[in-house]
Amino acid sequence: MSDDIKKFLEISNIKKGFGQGDSRQEVLRGMNFEVAKGEFCVLLGPSGSGKSTLLNIIGGIDKADSGYIAINGDKLEDMNDKALTLYRRKHLGYVFQLYNLIPNLNVKENIEVGSYLSDSPLDIDELLNTLGLWDHRYKLPNQLSGGQQQRTSIGRAIIKNPDILLCDEPTGALDYNTSKEILKLIEDVNQKYGNTIIMVTHNTELQHMADHTIKLRDGLVRKNIVNENKVSVDQLEW
């Protein structure tokens, strides 16, 4: 693997705090690691470890106080607001706990919204089949289960074929069996389309399905683990 591929995503000495004076809290205190192109990377840590804040900075939703994020050599801090907005649209996909679907659009239409942001979107019919949503493609969000809504949300994020898919506790609002289905879908998306996936979780079992795990605590990287023997989510129990 070339150095360029290994350093596809660079996080360099990222620091971030909130508040002023005595009430200021340092959330990120110097994060350093790299993620290779096509990797499935898990950011693992308890509440308050800084993982969601870091994900928002990687996604250009928030800005670091110091340090830099570089994706394929492009530093986000060097981009003006217009360039950063364009970069997010073209190269990043987001999946959150809340599905944020448009209530008066059906499944297919909700997913197609993401395709308008891309110059080379994936084929909508093929993706609907991959997502297991073909038979539900004309249903509105209020006619779907939580798992089906999250599948639609993933479809909207992935149809524009982003370089990086950012997942912030994507199964946090789902039951155990549905969570495993969604995680299997994310695993399949990574293998089929080759998108780099960064997933935030507090579930320690999920590190075993990842190529790369970054363990965070108190705003610092405590362990940086490349998994040589990862297993499918089908084999995990928690």
Side-chain angles (χ1 to χ4, degrees):
M1 187 181 295
S2 72
D3 287 343
D4 287 344
I5 293 175
K6 287 180 180 178
K7 292 184 177 182
F8 175 66
L9 172 63
E10 294 180 78
I11 287 82
S12 180
N13 200 30
I14 290 293
K15 296 181 181 180
K16 179 69 176 179
F18 297 96
Q20 301 292 331
D22 293 340
S23 64
R24 182 171 175 80
Q25 181 180 7
E26 301 299 334
V27 178
L28 304 179
R29 299 190 286 130
M31 292 275 186
N32 291 282
F33 62 92
E34 297 168 356
V35 178
K37 188 172 180 62
E39 274 192 333
F40 189 144
C41 179
V42 162
L43 302 182
L44 178 65
S47 296
S49 60
K51 54 190 188 297
S52 290
T53 299
L54 177 60
L55 197 74
N56 287 339
I57 294 173
I58 293 171
I61 297 172
D62 202 353
K63 290 187 176 182
D65 294 332
S66 62
Y68 69 85
I69 302 283
I71 299 175
N72 208 22
D74 296 324
K75 291 185 179 180
L76 302 192
E77 65 172 358
D78 293 340
M79 299 180 187
N80 60 29
D81 288 343
K82 183 177 180 180
L84 188 58
T85 297
L86 184 63
Y87 199 87
R88 286 197 299 261
R89 286 179 178 176
K90 297 291 186 181
H91 301 287
L92 300 175
Y94 304 86
V95 179
F96 303 104
Q97 282 189 46
L98 299 177
Y99 318 125
N100 295 319
L101 301 178
I102 300 171
N104 61 337
L105 297 184
N106 64 35
V107 167
K108 185 175 182 179
E109 292 166 338
N110 262 287
I111 293 175
E112 284 178 324
V113 166
S115 70
Y116 304 140
L117 303 176
S118 174
D119 296 328
S120 55
L122 301 176
D123 180 80
I124 179 68
D125 290 343
E126 180 185 348
L127 184 58
L128 282 165
N129 278 298
T130 298
L131 296 167
L133 290 172
W134 178 258
D135 292 339
H136 306 286
R137 63 192 183 280
Y138 297 127
K139 291 182 180 179
L140 296 173
N142 64 6
Q143 298 173 302
L144 303 174
S145 68
Q148 290 164 348
Q149 290 185 67
Q150 189 61 296
R151 286 172 180 269
T152 305
S153 175
I154 292 170
R156 181 182 56 197
I158 202 70
I159 192 169
K160 62 180 182 177
N161 201 18
D163 295 324
I164 299 178
L165 184 64
L166 303 173
C167 304
D168 193 358
E169 298 276 8
T171 62
L174 303 173
D175 62 63
Y176 175 77
N177 289 328
T178 306
S179 293
K180 290 198 77 171
E181 290 176 5
I182 293 300
L183 290 168
K184 177 61 177 172
L185 175 59
I186 293 172
E187 183 178 72
D188 291 346
V189 162
N190 172 246
Q191 293 173 359
K192 182 172 183 176
Y193 298 114
N195 314 85
T196 303
I197 294 180
I198 312 292
M199 185 172 74
V200 160
T201 185
H202 62 272
N203 186 339
T204 57
E205 278 300 304
L206 301 191
Q207 65 184 304
H208 302 299
M209 68 179 286
D211 298 298
H212 191 176
T213 299
I214 306 296
K215 291 189 175 182
L216 310 178
R217 191 176 71 249
D218 298 328
L220 291 169
V221 175
R222 301 297 180 172
K223 290 185 178 180
N224 187 336
I225 303 166
V226 175
N227 189 358
E228 301 290 347
N229 299 294
K230 74 173 187 175
V231 297
S232 172
V233 68
D234 294 333
Q235 299 172 261
L236 301 182
E237 299 286 344
W238 61 86

